[in-house]
């Protein structure tokens, strides 16, 4: 299966080619409801996760709420 | 006088920010707890409704921390995402927008730090970021110095509340300058929430006795030996200080005045 290289949270990763953002979250076993995605410095609304393809060289930030003051 | 009369005569209007009436004048953080179970129990004991959270990268190896949403019900608490750790207005905007994109809250606790050692705020950058976020429709609660001019500029920028510090973040020093806090409260129209620096329950009472609208505390609760007891104590002290402020304290005198009658003593002529 073809793979591509992308940067996720600052680290280079090889992932299967042809994934949407939602597909990437599933691949990483992340629950979309708990995550916010920034794709090439643009924040994605959850409604478009199925419509946005992950391309070679993309930079993704996957963030969540953690404890803080 | 009945118990109901007492309820009526000691009642207080709720703290209202951006049109939302809150069930407590105490807001609490979620950082630094020893466990998630302890955090949840402490927040419950505090009585707080507004709960701050930070925005951070997901740990893809899952070796460290799982998200706070696995433990806190967003229906029960109003989540207040912060921009902690940001040193520029641009970073703070990015974190604020990520927080809002959760779909859970359009409130943001804006903080732009200006110095690593003291964690004191960069007020110029905070004011600039506040203006931008308010224009984007955020309800901005801005962390700032106990400086009147910065507080006024933040109000002008469209902040829903202004949050001057009691003392540096995590210091536990309590309220170092009551005068400046009272000055800010006297001059602002939006709610004034004192944020950062509280160490224990009496600090919360002293802050509320200055007449401010509320308190935000995190380390004072989380770093206590028993966070659940301390959270309850700080919740009670917040109410006690508020009530004492509304009651109006007696004047201070540097001499004694007897509280029992000086007449009617035995053997009086």
């Amino acid at each position: 299966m073809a793979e591509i290289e992308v940067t996720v949270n600052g680290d280079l990763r090889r992932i299967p080619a042809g994934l949407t953002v939602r597909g990437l979250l599933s691949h990483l076993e992340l629950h979309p409801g708990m995550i916010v995605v920034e794709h090439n410095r643009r924040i994605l609304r959850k409604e478009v996760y199925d419509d946005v393809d992950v391309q070679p060289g993309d930079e993704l930030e996957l963030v969540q709420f953690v404890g803080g003051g | 006088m009945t118990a109901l009369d007492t309820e009526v005569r000691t009642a207080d209007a709720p703290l209202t920010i951006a049109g939302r009436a809150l069930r407590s004048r105490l807001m609490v953080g979620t950082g630094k707890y020893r466990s998630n179970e302890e955090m949840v129990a402490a927040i419950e004991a505090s009585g707080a409704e507004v709960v701050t959270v930070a925005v951070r990268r997901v740990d893809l190896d899952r070796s460290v921390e799982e998200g706070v949403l696995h433990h806190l019900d967003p229906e029960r608490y109003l989540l207040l995402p912060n921009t902690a750790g940001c040193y520029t207005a641009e970073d703070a905007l990015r974190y604020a927008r990520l927080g809002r994109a959760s779909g859970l809250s359009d409130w943001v606790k804006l903080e732009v730090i200006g110095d690593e050692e003291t964690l004191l705020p960069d007020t110029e950058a905070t004011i600039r970021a506040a203006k931008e976020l308010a224009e984007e429709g955020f309800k901005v609660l801005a962390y700032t110095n106990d400086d009147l001019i910065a507080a006024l500029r933040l109000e002008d920028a469209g902040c829903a509340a202004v949050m001057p510090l009691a003392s540096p973040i995590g210091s536990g020093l309590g309220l170092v300058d009551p005068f400046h806090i009272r000055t800010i409260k006297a001059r602002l129209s939006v709610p004034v929430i004192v944020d950062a620096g509280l160490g224990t329950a009496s600090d919360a009472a002293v802050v509320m006795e200055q007449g401010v609208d509320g308190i935000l505390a995190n380390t004072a609760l989380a770093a206590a030996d028993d966070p659940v007891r301390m959270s309850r104590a700080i919740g009670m002290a917040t109410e006690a200080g508020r009530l004492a402020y509304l009651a109006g304290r007696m004047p201070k005198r540097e001499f004694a005045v007897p509280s029992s009658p000086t007449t009617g003593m035995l053997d009086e002529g």
Side-chain angles (χ1 to χ4, degrees), chain B residues 213-232:
Chain B
D213 301 280
I215 287 176
L216 196 158
N218 184 356
T219 310
L221 285 62
D225 288 341
D226 182 340
V228 177
R229 279 203 170 102
M230 184 58 85
S231 297
R232 172 57 62 86

Side-chain angles (χ1 to χ4, degrees), chain B residues 201 204-206 208-209 233-247:
Chain B
V206 169
M208 291 308 295
E209 285 172 5
I234 288 179
M236 293 168 83
T238 303
E239 275 187 52
R242 174 66 182 174
L243 203 50
Y245 166 72
L246 293 174

Side-chain angles (χ1 to χ4, degrees), chain B residues 70-169:
Chain B
H70 293 279
H71 309 282
L72 281 181
D73 178 5
E75 299 286 309
R76 176 153 174 70
Y77 299 104
L78 174 56
L79 294 183
L80 178 58
N82 69 27
T83 63
C86 292
Y87 283 79
T88 65
E90 292 65 33
D91 274 352
L93 295 175
R94 188 180 182 197
Y95 278 73
R97 290 167 183 152
L98 285 165
R100 181 160 76 170
S102 70
L104 294 172
S105 178
D106 59 0
W107 290 34
V108 61
K109 183 191 146 185
L110 174 65
E111 51 178 288
V112 185
I113 301 301
D115 175 62
E116 274 183 54
E117 194 174 331
T118 60
L119 298 180
L120 290 171
D122 180 334
T123 51
E124 186 274 329
T126 307
I127 293 162
R128 201 150 37 84
K131 191 167 191 304
E132 175 78 30
L133 291 170
E135 280 170 8
E136 292 178 23
F138 282 87
K139 312 293 186 286
V140 182
L141 290 72
Y143 170 66
T144 184
N145 266 318
D146 60 355
D147 174 74
L148 173 65
I149 308 308
L152 287 169
R153 297 286 180 273
L154 286 165
E155 181 173 78
D156 289 345
C159 289
V162 174
M163 310 180 86
L165 52 78
S167 47
I169 294 172

Side-chain angles (χ1 to χ4, degrees), chain A residues 8-10 13 28-31 33-38 41 43-44 46 61-69, chain B residues 29-31 52-58 60 62 65 67-69 81-82 94 97-99 101-102 109 111 218:
Chain A
V8 184
N9 288 357
R13 289 181 90 91
L28 297 171
E29 297 175 9
L30 295 172
H31 187 294
M34 304 276 183
I35 305 282
V36 175
V37 180
E38 194 191 70
R41 299 285 294 202
I43 296 170
L44 297 184
K46 293 184 197 307
E61 293 286 352
L62 311 180
V63 302
Q64 65 180 348
F65 289 142
V66 301
Chain B
T30 53
T52 62
V53 291
V55 175
R56 290 292 181 272
R57 281 174 168 168
V58 175
L60 295 171
R62 315 285 202 292
E65 185 176 17
V68 79
L69 288 181
N82 69 27
R94 188 180 182 197
R97 290 167 183 152
L98 285 165
S102 70
K109 183 191 146 185
E111 51 178 288
N218 184 356

Side-chain angles (χ1 to χ4, degrees), chain B residues 81 207 224 244:
Chain B
V207 166

